[in-house]
Amino acid sequence: MSIPTIKTLGELKKSGYISRSVKEELRENLITQLQKQEGGFEGIIGYEDTVIPDLQTAILSRHNILLLGLRGQAKTRIARLLINLLDEYVPYIEGSELYDDPLNPISWFGHNEVSAKGDATPIAWLHRSDRYTEKLATPDVTVADLIGDVDPIKAATLKLTYSDERVLHFGLIPRAHRGIFVINELPDLQARIQVSLFNILQEKDIQIRGFKLRLPLDIQFVFTANPEDYTNRGSIVTPLKDRIESQILTHYPRSVEISRKITQQEASISPQQKATIEADGLVKNLIEQIAFEARNSEYIDKKSGVSARLTISAYENLISNAERRMIINKEKSTFVRISDFLGVIPAITGKIELVYEGELEGPAKVANILVGKAIKTLLLQYFPDPEKAKKSKAKNPYSEVINWFGNGNTLALIDGLPLQEYKKLLNSIDGLKDIVKQFHPKLTENQQLLLMEFILHGLAEFSQLNKGFLDNGFAFSDMFNSLFNLQPEDEDEEDDRY
């Protein structure tokens, strides 16, 4: 849509333009969207039946909104998407720093322009993308930043006294007039700064130094907060929370499928990576399962949460680890292996907050434990339970593989193995390929190899095989032989890795 051609207040009046408050604008555009059964909030996945209906109800009620949830729950993205409910363009008095409504000016400049020029008052048009203001709450934010202050330089330049409204320098909130103003991480704002918001939210006036200035600001406020902040770094003062009409709780994805959709949407994977690196559904689900295991882990602080950014970063690392091997081995294409999950450890360690027990283990060891638990959980979705198979009277499908290692054989899967060597090593294990063919007969060769390695890791998690960590891969051996051969100095070897 092109910028409207109306240039003066007179033309605007003749066009039949009617002023609306920003909350009315959001409400009416949402009603139109709901009537047309249009999507809205594109890119927000997993909130269709929970957060989005609550948000729409708040907008219909013309409420200021607090989005409350742990990190990585799309709170800021939701706030930014609200601009799509604004009109594409709105008129304002040209030159006004508060973007005064031509039919309802609030600033000295706006009133003066209209009274001096009447219907000839020049009009400009503001796009909805310029009607969004966002401020991250930090301890150094001042009242002057948000509300405004007296500008002595302006007073001297214009030769005005400090009692004149024109010497005021308006802060971010007045400049967000007729738009959406977002404060991220509200509890991090000092209590005295939070108090300065009281009047704006309720009485619509602002106080700057000695000025008693009534500015009927028209703003849709959206605040975001993390419940952890209520106790650790700060809190929302009670009267301010009372003035925010709707508090909406966000949450993490409820299923692996939803989490996987989010990761695939957000992960930064180049077209070249997509064309040359095959990532099977199993490895994509494993990435998501790591986050689910982390949210239930006794080593990780549940109050801090496990951000959706963990799976996004981990998936990017997983693809890049396979890409690195492909480049080194001068291969034209490759596929993600289970051993590539060594490459996701750095993406996990930086995104988890450990409790005391976790600190004792170390972040890298906790990350490896999470990967192992994810493998153990998913093995049961693809193959029979090794523990039940062991106790069952029927033939154990894993017995041939376990016996192969029981005969003294070992297997080292190095991260950088070329495809042919990787294939040769896995095919050398008696019965391993047969298990895959038995339960998943219609697979490509790459998928077969992936599941063959997956079985080895799964058996190790069920204590049917021993899995040792190498500097750049894994070593598999018989469980009992490794227990009997364990030397006292070996016990510390794994710890050195962490």
Side-chain angles (χ1 to χ4, degrees), residues 2 20 41 79 120-121 179 214 225 254 264 267 270 272 301 313 342 347 373 388 413 419 428 451 453 479 494:
S2 59
R20 293 185 295 178
F41 300 99
T121 303
R214 184 158 180 83
R254 301 273 169 85
Q264 296 305 308
S270 70
Q272 185 182 3
D301 186 359
S313 299
L342 276 175
K373 284 187 173 182
K388 289 181 181 177
L413 285 179
L419 176 60
S428 69
L451 285 182
E453 186 189 353
M479 194 72 195
E494 191 178 355

Side-chain angles (χ1 to χ4, degrees), residues 304-372:
S304 180
V306 177
S307 168
R309 298 183 192 98
L310 182 148
T311 54
I312 295 164
S313 299
Y315 184 68
E316 290 168 349
N317 269 16
L318 191 67
I319 297 295
S320 297
N321 199 70
E323 183 181 35
R324 175 180 169 273
R325 180 183 63 251
M326 178 184 74
I327 294 166
I328 290 171
N329 292 331
K330 295 182 171 59
E331 295 170 345
K332 291 183 178 179
S333 63
T334 189
F335 64 96
V336 176
R337 305 171 185 172
I338 304 299
S339 45
D340 286 321
F341 276 78
L342 276 175
V344 309
I345 304 301
I348 300 171
T349 53
K351 291 182 173 56
I352 52 175
E353 293 291 328
L354 303 178
V355 294
Y356 178 70
E357 292 81 358
E359 295 288 356
L360 291 178
E361 294 289 346
K365 188 166 185 179
V366 169
N368 274 298
I369 290 169
L370 295 176
V371 174

Side-chain angles (χ1 to χ4, degrees), residues 5-22:
T5 54
I6 293 169
K7 297 294 183 185
T8 65
L9 179 56
E11 291 175 19
L12 187 69
K13 288 176 180 176
K14 286 177 185 176
S15 72
Y17 175 80
I18 298 171
S19 292
R20 293 185 295 178
S21 71
V22 66

Side-chain angles (χ1 to χ4, degrees), residues 1-218:
M1 183 180 171
S2 59
I3 299 175
T5 54
I6 293 169
K7 297 294 183 185
T8 65
L9 179 56
E11 291 175 19
L12 187 69
K13 288 176 180 176
K14 286 177 185 176
S15 72
Y17 175 80
I18 298 171
S19 292
R20 293 185 295 178
S21 71
V22 66
K23 289 181 178 176
E24 281 294 341
E25 194 181 321
L26 288 166
R27 172 186 158 81
E28 290 175 23
N29 289 338
L30 175 61
I31 289 171
T32 303
Q33 190 181 83
L34 291 172
Q35 287 171 341
K36 292 181 179 177
Q37 295 186 328
E38 293 175 352
F41 300 99
E42 287 79 8
I44 302 297
I45 300 169
Y47 285 168
E48 295 83 1
D49 301 320
T50 52
V51 177
I52 300 302
D54 290 343
L55 189 64
Q56 290 171 337
T57 301
I59 293 167
L60 292 173
S61 300
R62 307 175 194 84
H63 284 177
N64 293 311
I65 297 163
L66 170 62
L67 294 168
L68 182 64
L70 295 171
R71 56 186 174 173
Q73 292 185 352
K75 301 186 293 294
T76 304
R77 171 172 282 203
I78 289 170
R80 288 175 180 172
L81 287 172
L82 285 175
I83 64 166
N84 294 329
L85 289 172
L86 294 171
D87 291 343
E88 187 163 8
Y89 287 98
V90 291
Y92 69 97
I93 297 172
E94 192 170 16
S96 168
E97 61 180 331
L98 298 190
Y99 300 111
D100 279 291
D101 183 343
L103 302 181
N104 188 24
I106 65 168
S107 70
W108 181 93
F109 175 86
H111 286 298
N112 188 62
E113 281 285 285
V114 172
S115 61
K117 299 176 182 176
D119 285 352
T121 303
I123 300 298
W125 293 85
L126 186 66
H127 191 259
R128 60 184 166 209
S129 60
D130 297 318
R131 297 172 65 194
Y132 177 88
T133 308
E134 186 177 297
K135 178 65 179 171
L136 176 63
T138 53
D140 62 334
V141 172
T142 65
V143 175
D145 293 334
L146 293 180
I147 314 297
D149 207 345
V150 173
D151 187 345
I153 296 174
K154 191 185 282 188
T157 305
L158 299 175
K159 297 180 181 178
L160 299 170
T161 65
Y162 282 0
S163 62
D164 195 305
E165 185 184 327
R166 286 171 287 175
V167 306
L168 294 178
H169 173 77
F170 291 112
L172 285 170
I173 292 177
R175 290 172 185 273
H177 176 54
R178 302 178 73 205
I180 298 168
F181 186 76
V182 178
I183 296 183
N184 276 323
E185 310 300 343
L186 180 61
D188 286 350
L189 212 57
Q190 291 181 44
R192 64 185 181 85
I193 312 299
Q194 292 184 35
V195 169
S196 70
L197 301 175
F198 290 179
N199 274 27
I200 293 175
L201 286 171
Q202 198 70 47
E203 287 80 22
K204 309 295 183 191
D205 61 3
I206 63 173
Q207 295 176 3
I208 299 175
R209 300 283 181 172
F211 278 93
K212 185 180 180 183
L213 183 65
R214 184 158 180 83
L215 274 183
L217 293 171
D218 177 23

Side-chain angles (χ1 to χ4, degrees), residues 273-494:
Q273 287 176 314
K274 288 178 182 177
T276 55
I277 300 155
E278 178 187 332
D280 190 72
L282 167 61
V283 295
K284 290 177 180 176
N285 286 346
L286 265 176
I287 285 286
E288 308 308 329
Q289 192 62 40
I290 290 168
F292 278 79
E293 299 293 344
R295 289 172 192 140
N296 294 316
S297 173
E298 68 272 23
Y299 296 124
I300 293 170
D301 186 359
K302 289 179 176 60
K303 289 188 297 181
S304 180
V306 177
S307 168
R309 298 183 192 98
L310 182 148
T311 54
I312 295 164
S313 299
Y315 184 68
E316 290 168 349
N317 269 16
L318 191 67
I319 297 295
S320 297
N321 199 70
E323 183 181 35
R324 175 180 169 273
R325 180 183 63 251
M326 178 184 74
I327 294 166
I328 290 171
N329 292 331
K330 295 182 171 59
E331 295 170 345
K332 291 183 178 179
S333 63
T334 189
F335 64 96
V336 176
R337 305 171 185 172
I338 304 299
S339 45
D340 286 321
F341 276 78
L342 276 175
V344 309
I345 304 301
I348 300 171
T349 53
K351 291 182 173 56
I352 52 175
E353 293 291 328
L354 303 178
V355 294
Y356 178 70
E357 292 81 358
E359 295 288 356
L360 291 178
E361 294 289 346
K365 188 166 185 179
V366 169
N368 274 298
I369 290 169
L370 295 176
V371 174
K373 284 187 173 182
I375 290 170
K376 187 174 183 179
T377 301
L378 285 193
L379 185 78
L380 302 179
Q381 296 179 21
Y382 285 78
F383 297 100
D385 185 336
E387 288 179 349
K388 289 181 181 177
K390 189 177 180 182
K391 296 172 185 174
S392 173
K393 292 178 181 178
K395 185 188 175 186
N396 182 353
Y398 305 107
S399 58
E400 206 173 340
V401 173
I402 294 166
N403 290 338
W404 186 84
F405 285 100
N407 291 331
N409 295 306
T410 60
L411 180 79
L413 285 179
I414 306 302
D415 181 30
L417 277 177
L419 176 60
Q420 292 307 317
E421 286 186 41
Y422 176 76
K423 182 178 170 182
K424 184 180 175 183
L425 283 172
L426 289 175
N427 283 326
S428 69
I429 302 171
D430 293 342
L432 186 57
K433 192 171 187 176
D434 296 334
I435 302 173
V436 176
K437 282 187 173 180
Q438 181 183 346
F439 295 101
H440 302 279
K442 297 177 182 178
L443 293 179
T444 64
E445 186 181 41
N446 288 350
Q447 289 173 324
Q448 276 185 352
L449 292 170
L450 173 66
L451 285 182
M452 286 163 75
E453 186 189 353
F454 180 54
I455 289 169
L456 296 180
H457 288 269
L459 289 173
E461 293 304 323
F462 278 95
S463 302
Q464 309 274 311
L465 294 178
N466 178 63
K467 180 168 77 172
F469 289 94
L470 306 173
D471 285 340
N472 56 349
F474 303 96
F476 294 93
S477 59
D478 179 63
M479 194 72 195
F480 296 104
N481 284 344
S482 61
L483 286 172
F484 290 130
N485 295 332
L486 186 67
Q487 299 297 322
E489 60 267 26
D490 292 340
E491 293 177 359
D492 295 326
E493 280 187 21
E494 191 178 355

